[in-house]
Amino acid sequence: MPAPWRICCNKKSKTKNGKAEMDNMAEKSEKMQMKKEITLLNGVSLIVGNMIGSGIFVSPRGVLMYSASYGLSLVIWALGGMFSLFGALCYAELGTSIVKSGASYAYILEAFGAFVAFIRLWSSLLIIEPTTQAVIAITFANYIVQPIFPHCEPPYDAVRLIAAACICSLTFINCVNVKWGTRVQDVFTYAKVMALILVISVGLYKIGKGETENLRAPFEGSATNPGMIALALYSALFSYSGWDTLNYVTEEMQNPERNLPLSIAISMPIVTIIYLLTNIAYYVVLDMSAILTSDAVAVTFGGETLSYAKWIIPIAVAMSCYSGLNSSIIAASRLFYVGAREGHLPDSLSLIHIKCFTPVPALLFNGLMTLLYLLVEDVFLLINYYCFNYWLFVGLSIAGLIYLRYTQPRRPRPIKLNLFFPIVYCLCSLFLVIVPLYSDTINSLIGVGIALSGIPAYYLGVYLPFDKRPKCLQWLSATTTKYVQMLFYCALSDLDIDMEPTAAKSK
């Protein structure tokens, strides 16, 4: 029995001239699939833009708070960069040997099967992606309205409406054209890097003038408690998250075997050096108490050093958020698209626009989920629920690299790392899973509960054979797919047709 979307895809329509056309574009010379439009430069912008979020501008104090000295905090920032580079290199091997979009979801699916991959997808759908994007959008809105309300709290409704407008605008841009999304990413990434270079330049100028009082005893008072150092490293590693962004769009990259690892190799040192130099600039200008008590360290820095140009910093934070949100939307929509293609989400999310070649239903679904989370007043608290899940699944995907080395030794691997790198990363990931369980047990257990809530959904929507699933779910899926296809002018991609047996097998 053909799937419902298959029937709808193959329906013929008549033009004014009476000529029959196939909606699925199979009879046309151009393949019906997302285009390979992401270049090496776009890849670097996606990684750098997602890694350098608002955190380095707003609150780099977590590392300093737990390390208790400037010197040790800089060492921990460097260690965080090195550790993240290990993870990124492992993803370079995974991304070039498993040339699928979806990042850790695709790699877990390949290594450990459908159930574990579905739980990872379910966690992203319910908590990780919409919460992250809602928080970034709210931060963007706060910094946009800050000049209008410099001495008081901005109106709640105004902030949420601006955040919603930000999400809708980026969703629209990415629906229309992949190139539009990558151009937005390029421009805003350049802008925020330039802003950080300004901060770094001021710091280096102060050092050149000999204003280094804060750095004369950099390791004085350093934390010696292993627990405090572990929490400092945890804060640093969270600031480096986002290095896997490009692995979500592997199928849309030009020459991924070359450009994926090269983008990672270029991006990781750039981000690490920027983080180190930016923190040095903060430490030269601001004393420890000023950094630890500031709600926005870069804004405080600008007020101390930039005089009439201090307005640049809030604008830079807003641009940083816009860039980070754009890359997050691109990555999340591809995750949902690939999940639907594998049969783990409704079929309607696996369709792409016939003319734009973009995953419009997945983009709109992601945008709708994020808008719903804007209605949650304490959305920032939801971040606490997913730290455990995030590091668990990143660690699992890299453990999958080791597992596939032994189960599929002859698999083509354009890049093949020494096993030292994935083993070290897996051990450190175990530490990152234990830290939130130790420091924030209740919220971590809530996160585990959210992930496990996907078990009934997996049983009903994936595990059961199609003809044994509840009739109401079958009708809802078929009806939704039909009307989504007609409303948004979408069709099944050629790649999806080729992969149907694989998806059926995973079920």
Side-chain angles (χ1 to χ4, degrees), residues 29-31 86 99 136 192 204-205 214 287 312 323 373 393 403 415 417 458 480 497:
S29 58
E30 195 170 22
K31 276 196 169 185
F86 278 25
V99 190
I136 295 172
K192 68 179 170 185
L204 294 177
Y205 173 73
N214 293 342
D287 59 31
I312 292 174
S323 167
Y373 274 66
F393 290 119
Y403 179 74
I415 293 176
L417 296 175
Y458 175 80
T480 303
I497 295 170

Side-chain angles (χ1 to χ4, degrees), residues 81-91 398 417 420-422 424-425:
M82 188 181 302
F83 173 73
S84 299
L85 177 61
F86 278 25
L89 289 173
C90 293
Y91 264 48
I398 293 179
L417 296 175
F420 168 80
F421 293 97
V424 168
Y425 194 91

Side-chain angles (χ1 to χ4, degrees), residues 296-310:
V297 175
V299 174
T300 305
F301 177 93
E304 292 283 338
T305 59
L306 299 180
S307 186
Y308 294 108
K310 62 184 179 183

